[in-house]
Amino acid sequence: MAYEARSIEKKWQEIWDKNNYFEPKDDFSLPKKYILSMFPYPSGRIHMGHVRNYSIGDAISRYYRKIGYNVLHPIGFDSFGMPAENAAIKHKVHPKSWTYENIDYMKNELFSLGFSFSKKRILATSDPLYTKFEQEFFIKMYEKGLIYTKEANVNWCEQDQTVLANEQVEDGKCWRCGHEVVQKKMPGYYVKITAYADELLRELKNLKDKWPNQVLTMQENWIGRSEGLKFKLILDEKSQEKSQASHIDVFTTRADTIYGVSYIALSVDHKIVQNLISHSHLESTVVEKIKHIQNQTPRERQSAQKEGYFLDIYVLHPLTKEKIPVWAANFVLSDYGSGAVMAVPAHDERDFEFASKYKLEIKKVIECESKLPYTQKSGKLIESGQFNGVECNIARDEIINLFEKENIGKRTINFKIRDWGVSRQRYWGAPIPMIKCEKCGIVPQKIENLPIVLPEDIEITGEGNPLEKHPTWKECTCPKCGLKACKETDTLDTFFESSWYFARFASDEKTWQEKALDELSMKYWMNVDQYIGGIEHAILHLLYARFFQKALRDLGYLNDGEPFDRLLTQGMVLKDGAKMSKSKGNVVDPDEIIKKYGADTARLFILFAAPPAKELEWNDDALEGAYRFICKLYDRAQNVKKGKLSELKQENLTKEEKYARLKVYEALKKSEEVYTQTFAFNTLIASCMEALNALSICKNQALEQEAFYIILNILEPIIPHICFELSEQLFECENFKILKLKEEVFIKDTLNLAVSINGKKRAEIEISSSTNKDEILKIAKESVFKWIQDKNIIKEIYIEGKLVNLVIK
């Protein structure tokens, strides 16, 4: 009987579904595992990256479920966002229709692969019920001071009348219409993630050896904690009058180089620059060039060549009182520090590049032999007044102490991380639950009025915000004074939704209507034991999720400070050396693979082709190989004895049978480590293949029965349909449990020892495990007689179980 993947897979998917086989149990006395893969955006079809991500998570989930754990393994859809609006414009459909049709299609695709997701806890972040509690969190954060409003520069497309993310700006133009993008000051809502910067950084150490080092380093750099000196640079009298300012605030981590300052660089958005422009103190050509820089995104500014303009104003050096020129420069960003940089070109590469271009003074203040810029944090100070000859690391502290003593500066801790702007002028997103009242200002919606849902009678043209244009939706009354007011027409950044979905999944779905998070469920299921997703989410999503966990803890919704105990970042799936994409024409459709080979083949290939954390290169031959292995497994199983395991005595087995049995048990021994720690599924699959090959030369029915009993258990998390089918036929699935190792299998009757002469291998001998050392040396000498005859043996070395080395003269 030939292997029929389609009928076998359909049969078992229906059985699992009917028996709620993958639903988490309500018995909280059981040991638990919460396994979560990052949920997909409902773009329309799943791709091989999804197959890889979910095959990894599913294998881990099935393993723990099989050995008696209560397993939560949910799936949902990150369903708000721009692609739905783009589809609405392109196909003349409503974003909601497009989104939910895609969700239905993708759910069928995912379940056709046999993924053991809970079907009762599926959610979409665009569901009104999800929005309701997200809006509740927003209001609670606003009331606690964790969300506030401010004006800030955003990327603005005049043609489409919308704000663009940095990723949507291509060569300074709107990615959709090609219109020039400008920087525009707009009010928006900001999440005060900086309030948790220290904790976010500090608790990274608790994730060491549980998260990839690369991710921890990326987060550490993004948060960017630095200790240094904050001080004021006083403008000279003439410059104060000209700039309408008395001083410039500066922060530096290199107080030891304070005597090497030769210019000050300001962001083009700095208040002083704007004052000089508004009072016509700069030439029109300079103003034009400054405005051009202002209209560039921060990313464009940083990647551009260094550019700057002297502002014809000066500050006084805080210690020497020398006059220092002030410039506007494109490399200084307004949202980092104070938007002002103390430039020390002799000891900073960026400052040196700028100073060289504009022929500014370069003052060397650290003794060094190398050419400038010298950026090492070592060496003695020179040209530094009373600090000459002091090692710069000591001088740094002494100079800060001097500033504090003179009351002209103070020791400060700074963070690179900025507060998170969450306002989006788009339709397909969660409405921000705030009201604008002329009398009361910005007021939160009443909790009992939630959710604030989107109107469905809209037309999306790509121009402007449909909520702003809607004739009635934004009209409301102020909950504070009762006068006419307007709903906020901005919607939330979609990262807001994906920052707490893991906690919603952990909440008992029977409580979803009444509360955001069920306390009893949270206490049991949280935190996520194993989180799986792409390295591209290392910073934003993972950082925002960590922040949300801490904020919700402080609001009383959660208990712990970290959401994900362990993290696995899987590599991309490549074809022809490039990431799969429609534009490159190198996409492999999972549906076609399932149709031709079956879901188990897709799963086996994706887990065998490469270790999970590495990139995987698509290989049609390897896919065929995976299919052939499953066919071989199925064919061999047809001859295996059914029912209770026959008695198998190790001492009665032949040498070949003992070897085959050893290979089976080596795979079983490896399986626990693979499923719980290393996730090196490729090595486990290889071990099973090796065991099956070793069995092929054996004719022992009892041995083959035991081998299949074990191998089907090991492979079930990877290729579940075929393993359930064969295990049911042969053992009524009695083999799906914890299997114990039999230590006698690992005891070898004979040993193979290398025999070396003066360290060079000359022979190999096979001896009984019980042979004593003297007998071993005698047999070894006999095996290499032609090399040692007429020679003096001056030393005999026996390394137990490995080799004999004879040293001769």
Side-chain angles (χ1 to χ4, degrees):
M1 190 168 66
Y3 167 54
E4 290 284 346
R6 183 171 291 187
S7 60
I8 291 170
E9 289 169 2
K10 185 173 186 292
K11 167 190 168 181
W12 283 103
Q13 286 165 17
E14 287 174 356
I15 291 171
W16 296 330
D17 205 20
K18 182 181 177 183
N19 295 315
N20 290 325
Y21 198 77
F22 306 128
E23 296 305 327
K25 298 178 177 67
D26 291 332
D27 184 356
F28 288 179
S29 67
L30 292 169
K32 71 92 182 178
K33 282 292 173 183
Y34 180 4
I35 313 297
L36 181 64
S37 294
M38 294 180 186
F39 60 174
Y41 183 80
S43 55
R45 300 177 84 86
I46 65 169
H47 52 69
M48 291 313 298
H50 290 132
V51 175
R52 192 178 198 198
N53 188 341
Y54 303 133
S55 292
I56 294 166
D58 197 56
I60 300 167
S61 299
R62 284 178 175 274
Y63 172 79
Y64 279 109
R65 200 180 284 114
K66 185 173 57 184
I67 63 170
Y69 278 75
N70 191 6
V71 175
L72 174 59
H73 184 218
I75 191 67
F77 295 89
D78 192 11
S79 50
F80 272 138
M82 276 296 283
E85 291 197 26
N86 295 333
I89 298 164
K90 185 177 178 181
H91 303 297
K92 307 293 184 194
V93 295
H94 196 284
K96 183 178 180 180
S97 305
W98 183 84
T99 299
Y100 283 92
E101 282 170 15
N102 287 350
I103 287 173
D104 288 341
Y105 189 87
M106 289 174 73
K107 276 198 292 191
N108 289 333
E109 285 188 301
L110 292 169
F111 286 108
S112 74
L113 280 153
F115 294 139
S116 61
F117 296 127
S118 162
K119 286 193 172 180
K120 292 183 179 178
R121 297 200 185 184
I122 296 175
L123 60 80
T125 58
S126 52
D127 294 344
L129 192 57
Y130 192 86
T131 296
K132 173 183 177 179
F133 294 113
E134 181 171 318
Q135 290 171 336
E136 178 183 312
F137 294 153
F138 186 98
I139 291 167
K140 298 289 185 185
M141 287 184 187
Y142 180 83
E143 290 171 345
K144 193 177 170 65
L146 286 176
I147 291 178
Y148 63 96
T149 58
K150 72 170 182 179
E151 277 203 344
N153 281 331
V154 294
N155 304 315
W156 179 256
C157 174
E158 193 64 38
Q159 176 75 26
D160 288 349
Q161 290 287 294
T162 189
V163 168
L164 300 173
N166 286 338
E167 292 73 21
Q168 294 167 331
V169 180
E170 298 173 354
D171 297 323
K173 295 181 172 60
C174 174
W175 68 297
R176 190 193 298 131
C177 70
H179 197 270
E180 200 77 32
V181 170
V182 297
Q183 293 291 294
K184 182 177 180 181
K185 254 197 175 0
M186 288 185 69
Y189 291 85
Y190 287 79
V191 177
K192 201 171 184 181
I193 193 170
T194 51
Y196 287 84
D198 209 28
E199 187 182 351
L200 285 166
L201 182 65
R202 187 175 65 249
E203 292 196 350
L204 285 175
K205 70 177 183 294
N206 300 333
L207 301 173
K208 189 170 171 52
D209 301 325
K210 297 178 182 179
W211 283 33
N213 286 333
Q214 183 184 3
V215 175
L216 298 178
T217 301
M218 289 167 78
Q219 289 218 0
E220 189 176 321
N221 291 340
W222 188 265
I223 296 166
R225 183 184 190 274
S226 54
E227 294 184 23
L229 172 67
K230 185 178 180 181
F231 61 101
K232 296 183 191 306
L233 287 165
I234 307 300
L235 290 143
D236 68 18
E237 196 173 326
K238 186 179 176 184
S239 299
Q240 286 190 31
E241 185 182 335
K242 199 172 186 179
S243 66
Q244 304 292 298
S246 60
H247 65 274
I248 296 171
D249 289 315
V250 174
F251 171 81
T252 181
T253 59
R254 296 295 308 270
D256 51 311
T257 64
I258 191 76
Y259 285 90
V261 179
S262 64
Y263 67 95
I264 304 300
L266 301 182
S267 160
V268 292
D269 307 303
H270 196 283
K271 188 178 177 182
I272 283 178
V273 178
Q274 297 311 303
N275 285 348
L276 291 170
I277 291 172
S278 63
H279 289 86
S280 304
H281 289 305
L282 298 179
E283 292 180 11
S284 58
T285 52
V286 171
V287 172
E288 193 178 317
K289 287 174 179 176
I290 285 174
K291 286 187 174 177
H292 175 71
I293 296 170
Q294 285 176 322
N295 283 331
Q296 292 178 318
T297 66
R299 186 177 295 172
E300 286 173 326
R301 293 187 201 183
Q302 287 185 307
S303 62
Q305 286 192 337
K306 301 290 177 289
E307 184 182 340
Y309 302 96
F310 177 47
L311 299 176
D312 197 27
I313 58 173
Y314 297 86
V315 293
L316 302 176
H317 191 286
L319 298 179
T320 67
K321 303 307 177 187
E322 291 177 74
K323 286 173 71 172
I324 302 169
V326 181
W327 287 64
N330 65 343
F331 65 81
V332 186
L333 301 180
S334 58
D335 62 352
Y336 180 63
S338 60
V341 168
M342 163 192 119
V344 185
H347 305 293
D348 181 277
E349 287 181 9
R350 180 198 56 193
D351 298 347
F352 182 84
E353 189 182 333
F354 189 89
S356 300
K357 180 176 179 178
Y358 292 104
K359 296 182 172 49
L360 302 175
E361 188 179 3
I362 297 173
K363 298 179 180 179
K364 178 178 169 182
V365 292
I366 300 176
E367 199 171 45
C368 61
E369 296 299 322
S370 61
K371 65 176 185 178
L372 299 180
Y374 174 74
T375 59
Q376 301 299 312
K377 294 180 179 179
S378 61
K380 293 181 178 179
L381 296 195
I382 56 173
E383 304 295 327
S384 298
Q386 70 190 72
F387 301 100
N388 282 341
V390 181
E391 184 65 32
C392 65
N393 288 306
I394 297 169
R396 194 174 304 124
D397 266 345
E398 291 184 358
I399 289 170
I400 293 175
N401 291 339
L402 174 65
F403 269 73
E404 290 189 320
K405 182 184 173 185
E406 299 291 331
N407 204 26
I408 55 173
K410 64 177 181 178
R411 194 181 303 270
T412 306
I413 293 170
N414 235 4
F415 289 95
K416 184 179 170 186
I417 190 173
R418 303 270 66 86
D419 283 340
W420 170 21
V422 293
S423 297
R424 299 291 180 268
Q425 293 69 39
R426 299 195 265 277
Y427 167 74
W428 192 237
I432 292 177
M434 305 297 280
I435 287 169
K436 295 174 180 175
C437 172
E438 285 190 12
K439 182 181 177 184
C440 305
I442 294 172
V443 182
Q445 292 272 4
K446 287 184 176 178
I447 298 289
E448 56 266 31
N449 291 342
L450 304 180
I452 307 303
V453 296
L454 296 166
E456 294 195 21
D457 57 333
I458 50 93
E459 183 187 0
I460 295 181
T461 62
E463 296 179 9
N465 181 354
L467 295 180
E468 187 69 48
K469 293 179 175 181
H470 195 280
T472 58
W473 180 82
K474 63 182 178 181
E475 293 175 2
C476 66
T477 55
C478 174
K480 207 169 179 180
C481 67
L483 294 176
K484 280 187 178 181
C486 284
K487 291 176 189 168
E488 176 58 69
T489 57
D490 284 357
T491 54
L492 284 166
D493 175 15
T494 54
F495 276 115
F496 207 88
E497 279 90 63
S498 59
S499 294
W500 68 281
Y501 78 107
F502 50 87
R504 182 66 165 174
F505 275 148
S507 198
D508 187 342
E509 75 279 359
K510 295 186 286 296
T511 69
W512 278 8
Q513 291 286 338
E514 59 200 67
K515 55 176 81 170
L517 305 172
D518 175 54
E519 299 87 345
L520 200 61
S521 303
M522 292 298 105
K523 193 173 179 183
Y524 177 69
W525 286 115
M526 288 296 285
N527 297 333
V528 176
D529 293 287
Q530 184 66 59
Y531 198 36
I532 304 142
I535 190 75
E536 66 271 19
H537 301 292
I539 296 174
L540 296 183
H541 163 60
L542 287 169
L543 196 63
Y544 293 154
R546 292 181 64 223
F547 159 76
F548 246 80
Q549 176 86 8
K550 297 173 193 307
L552 292 180
R553 173 201 63 195
D554 293 347
L555 290 169
Y557 289 96
L558 293 171
N559 297 316
D560 297 319
E562 290 292 334
F564 314 121
D565 284 350
R566 294 182 71 193
L567 173 70
L568 170 66
T569 51
Q570 94 278 1
M572 290 189 297
V573 180
L574 310 176
K575 191 177 181 192
D576 305 324
K579 183 180 178 181
M580 289 187 183
S581 70
K582 289 178 184 176
S583 61
K584 291 188 177 78
N586 65 348
V587 170
V588 174
D589 186 353
D591 288 354
E592 291 300 314
I593 294 170
I594 295 168
K595 190 175 175 182
K596 186 175 180 182
Y597 299 106
D600 281 341
T601 296
R603 294 169 64 123
L604 183 67
F605 164 75
I606 212 83
L607 293 178
F608 183 49
K614 302 290 184 184
E615 290 180 338
L616 184 157
E617 178 68 40
W618 187 262
N619 185 319
D620 290 325
D621 291 339
L623 182 68
E624 288 275 0
Y627 179 67
R628 285 196 301 273
F629 171 75
I630 294 174
C631 289
K632 179 181 175 182
L633 187 72
Y634 183 82
D635 292 343
R636 288 284 299 277
Q638 305 314 305
N639 300 316
V640 174
K641 183 184 173 187
K642 297 179 181 179
K644 190 178 177 183
L645 289 184
S646 304
E647 188 179 1
L648 195 61
K649 290 189 175 179
Q650 181 75 4
E651 63 269 22
N652 295 338
L653 300 180
T654 67
K655 180 182 175 182
E656 289 77 14
E657 289 168 349
K658 284 178 179 177
Y659 177 76
R661 196 181 192 207
L662 174 66
K663 288 295 155 189
V664 171
Y665 274 91
E666 280 179 345
L668 178 60
K669 190 175 184 179
K670 179 177 281 190
S671 65
E672 182 184 1
E673 182 185 28
V674 167
Y675 284 120
T676 63
Q677 294 176 48
T678 67
F679 310 128
F681 303 110
N682 56 319
T683 64
L684 182 60
I685 294 165
S687 293
C688 290
M689 290 175 171
E690 195 178 343
L692 206 62
N693 287 337
L695 282 166
S696 64
I697 60 169
C698 302
K699 303 299 180 189
N700 187 323
Q701 193 178 53
L703 172 61
E704 191 159 54
Q705 187 189 36
E706 181 194 59
F708 267 78
Y709 191 90
I710 294 169
I711 289 172
L712 293 174
N713 171 294
I714 296 170
L715 290 177
E716 181 273 330
I718 295 168
I719 47 173
H721 307 89
I722 187 67
C723 288
F724 263 86
E725 178 69 10
L726 296 177
S727 295
E728 183 195 45
Q729 288 175 15
L730 299 173
F731 316 113
E732 295 182 348
C733 294
E734 283 296 314
N735 57 325
F736 289 161
K737 60 187 176 186
I738 297 175
L739 301 182
K740 292 183 179 177
L741 293 170
K742 295 187 176 178
E743 292 304 323
E744 67 266 24
V745 175
F746 298 96
I747 298 170
K748 295 180 180 178
D749 294 334
T750 62
L751 296 173
N752 290 322
L753 301 179
V755 182
S756 301
I757 307 292
N758 292 345
K760 188 171 185 180
K761 185 179 176 182
R762 293 299 187 185
E764 188 170 280
I765 58 173
E766 184 176 3
I767 57 161
S768 168
S769 299
S770 59
T771 308
N772 63 40
K773 180 180 177 182
D774 290 341
E775 186 65 21
I776 290 169
L777 290 170
K778 180 185 173 187
I779 296 167
K781 289 172 194 173
E782 289 171 356
S783 73
V784 293
F785 179 73
K786 68 179 180 179
W787 281 285
I788 62 172
Q789 64 178 332
D790 304 324
K791 304 285 185 186
N792 290 326
I793 300 175
I794 60 172
K795 200 169 190 182
E796 297 173 350
I797 302 165
Y798 171 50
I799 299 175
E800 191 174 347
K802 291 186 178 178
L803 64 86
V804 173
N805 185 38
L806 304 174
V807 181
I808 65 172
K809 252 187 173 181

